[in-house]
Amino acid sequence: MHDARPRRFLRHPAQLVVLGFAGAVAVGTLLLLLPVSRTDTAGADLVTALFTATSAVCVTGLAVVDTGTYWSGFGQVVVLALIQVGGFGIMTLASLLGLLVWRRMGLRSRITAMTETKALGLGDVRSVVLGVARVSLLVEAAVAVPLALRFWWAYDYSPGRAAYLGVFHSVSAFNNAGFALWSDSLTRYVTDPWICLPIAAAVILGGLGFPVVLELRRQLRRPRRWSLHTKITVSATVVLLVAGTAFVTANEWRNPATLGALDSGAGRVLAGFFQAVMPRTAGFNSLDYGQMYEGTLLGTVVLMFIGGGSAGTAGGIKVTTFVLLWFVIWAEVRGEQDVEAFGRRIDDRATRQALTVALLSVGVVSAATIALVEMTRLPTHQVLFEAVSAFATVGLSTGITADVGRDGHLVLTLLMFVGRLGPVTLVSALALRERRRAYSHPEERPIIG
């Protein structure tokens, strides 16, 4: 006898996350299509508006037009709002609004928020959502103030303009968006630590992920009590920042078009550090990536693909996925039966999830790179850089974003959307139901290698 009850499409919380982000992109596209959003009297074309809205909601930072001159003040505010909504998480924001209005949260809303924030349990959702709001506003304000003061005192901007620049770039940095209001991003401030360091700090904090930031706020001086997730994220972040700084600085030290053009050694180190931070998925740059050596670009591709921490504003496959796969390889090489990290045994399901995320990501990036190369006939290393930047929601570019054509822009738009939500989230959102087998097949082991 068949069940007469109608089937519901939205049976998984991840589906609401996908639809929420898609809705935000749609609203942003419509707002950017308005003539008031452009400095010109004519409105933006559909692909430009869609690409910009997706890049903002997915906190990527790739742009086909100059944000500071193409969009009007209204359009820039729309982009800034989309960045904030995308970074905070459309479902988390909806849950927070529900808390503020009704002072309560239903079970369905809790499950949805848990999917977006990666909270460990339903009882943690309320505190996580409120904590995310407090941390976001606190960090953005703390970074906006010194930026605004620097723009005002050192670069002769009016107080109002300096405050606007400080707020815009602070929100863009903490949410790992990388949108800047200058056509050359931050290259004019390449040796200014009062601009580069606050922005880098905001990017790092946003890239750690909200659960890690909230735990560090409570347990900063007691690292032994940190969770395994926090230990992996913090340690991997430090290693990647140090290694990335050393790699970029050493590789570009004598490049006359990048670090070689800077007079002071301190300025070169600052620029190298800044370029090591940004591949954590923030698209600011203080050097021209189009002038970098190919080896530096490929190393940056690796950093972008790894990304930042989970449940934050960073993209990529996430450092936890990368480190977990490293421990899997290490355990297999040593012939150990269990995968262990920091004195803890890793669950088999976590290793399968890490492998799934990594391989799906490689497949998506590879397919997109091949498609873009066929469409554009541009150099493969530049196309690969652009594809990984879009998928990892980084926003860095060698300068070919505007040259990939209309079809290429649509491919990059899809890459940004998939990369922000994550391959596993997107696939699970499209699945109508979870299947569980009531039986197991006989075990057999194929030959590997």
Side-chain angles (χ1 to χ4, degrees), residues 151-363:
F151 288 132
W152 178 30
W153 290 343
Y155 298 98
D156 296 327
Y157 286 103
S158 66
R161 179 62 176 173
Y164 174 69
L165 291 175
V167 171
F168 187 97
H169 293 91
S170 172
V171 173
S172 183
F174 179 70
N175 290 286
N176 278 213
F179 277 93
L181 295 179
W182 300 280
S183 59
D184 58 354
S185 191
L186 300 178
T187 55
R188 63 188 65 189
Y189 307 113
V190 60
T191 58
D192 190 340
W194 298 101
I195 299 295
C196 293
L197 291 181
I199 288 179
V203 169
I204 293 172
L205 287 175
L208 287 175
F210 293 126
V212 174
V213 173
L214 295 176
E215 184 172 350
L216 291 179
R217 188 178 64 174
R218 297 190 303 264
Q219 305 284 354
L220 180 61
R221 298 183 178 181
R222 293 175 285 187
R224 292 185 178 181
R225 296 188 179 183
W226 292 356
S227 65
L228 177 62
H229 174 74
T230 297
K231 290 179 180 178
I232 291 177
T233 302
V234 172
S235 59
T237 296
V238 172
V239 170
L240 290 175
L241 287 177
V242 173
T245 301
F247 171 76
V248 174
T249 305
N251 221 36
E252 295 292 320
W253 188 268
R254 298 185 182 278
N255 186 343
T258 56
L259 292 184
L262 305 179
D263 296 330
S264 67
R268 294 184 184 186
V269 173
L270 174 62
F273 170 74
F274 194 79
Q275 264 54 235
V277 172
M278 294 308 119
R280 296 186 56 76
T281 76
F284 296 110
N285 62 283
S286 61
L287 296 175
D288 185 359
Y289 275 86
Q291 300 298 321
M292 287 186 176
Y293 295 137
E294 289 187 22
T296 307
L297 294 179
L298 292 176
T300 304
V301 165
V302 174
L303 293 176
M304 291 192 299
F305 188 75
I306 295 173
S310 301
T313 53
I317 65 172
K318 306 298 187 297
V319 292
T320 45
T321 302
F322 176 75
V323 173
L324 185 54
L325 290 177
W326 165 257
F327 281 119
V328 170
I329 295 173
W330 182 245
E332 190 64 26
V333 168
R334 299 180 62 184
E336 296 180 353
Q337 202 169 26
D338 296 326
V339 179
E340 298 179 352
F342 295 97
R344 294 290 187 271
R345 182 173 60 84
I346 306 299
D347 181 68
D348 290 341
R349 184 179 178 185
T351 59
R352 293 199 304 270
Q353 290 175 344
L355 186 61
T356 301
V357 168
L359 290 181
L360 281 177
S361 300
V362 169

Side-chain angles (χ1 to χ4, degrees), residues 289 292 296-301 304 369 379-390 394-400:
Y289 275 86
M292 287 186 176
T296 307
L297 294 179
L298 292 176
T300 304
V301 165
M304 291 192 299
T369 301
T380 303
H381 71 278
Q382 289 185 325
V383 173
L384 174 64
F385 190 95
E386 197 83 6
V388 174
S389 180
V394 178
L396 295 175
S397 176
T398 58
I400 67 169

Side-chain angles (χ1 to χ4, degrees), residues 41-209:
T41 54
D45 64 275
L46 178 60
V47 174
T48 299
L50 174 63
F51 188 96
T52 304
T54 304
S55 184
V57 172
C58 298
V59 292
T60 304
L62 284 176
V64 295
V65 294
D66 182 14
T67 305
T69 58
Y70 186 89
W71 303 110
S72 65
F74 176 81
Q76 293 173 16
V77 171
V78 170
V79 171
L80 187 65
L82 293 176
I83 291 171
Q84 187 71 78
V85 169
F88 191 74
I90 190 67
M91 290 298 121
T92 306
L93 180 60
S95 300
L96 176 61
L97 291 176
L99 281 174
L100 296 177
V101 175
W102 295 290
R103 299 290 182 181
R104 59 177 297 175
M105 184 183 292
L107 178 62
R108 185 177 182 82
S109 298
R110 286 178 178 235
I111 294 175
T112 301
M114 184 175 63
T115 301
E116 173 61 24
T117 62
K118 308 296 190 298
L120 298 179
L122 294 179
D124 298 328
V125 174
R126 182 188 180 102
S127 61
V128 167
V129 171
L130 292 177
V132 165
R134 296 190 191 102
V135 169
S136 297
L137 295 177
L138 178 63
V139 174
E140 290 169 358
V143 174
V145 170
L147 288 180
L149 293 176
R150 185 63 173 174
F151 288 132
W152 178 30
W153 290 343
Y155 298 98
D156 296 327
Y157 286 103
S158 66
R161 179 62 176 173
Y164 174 69
L165 291 175
V167 171
F168 187 97
H169 293 91
S170 172
V171 173
S172 183
F174 179 70
N175 290 286
N176 278 213
F179 277 93
L181 295 179
W182 300 280
S183 59
D184 58 354
S185 191
L186 300 178
T187 55
R188 63 188 65 189
Y189 307 113
V190 60
T191 58
D192 190 340
W194 298 101
I195 299 295
C196 293
L197 291 181
I199 288 179
V203 169
I204 293 172
L205 287 175
L208 287 175

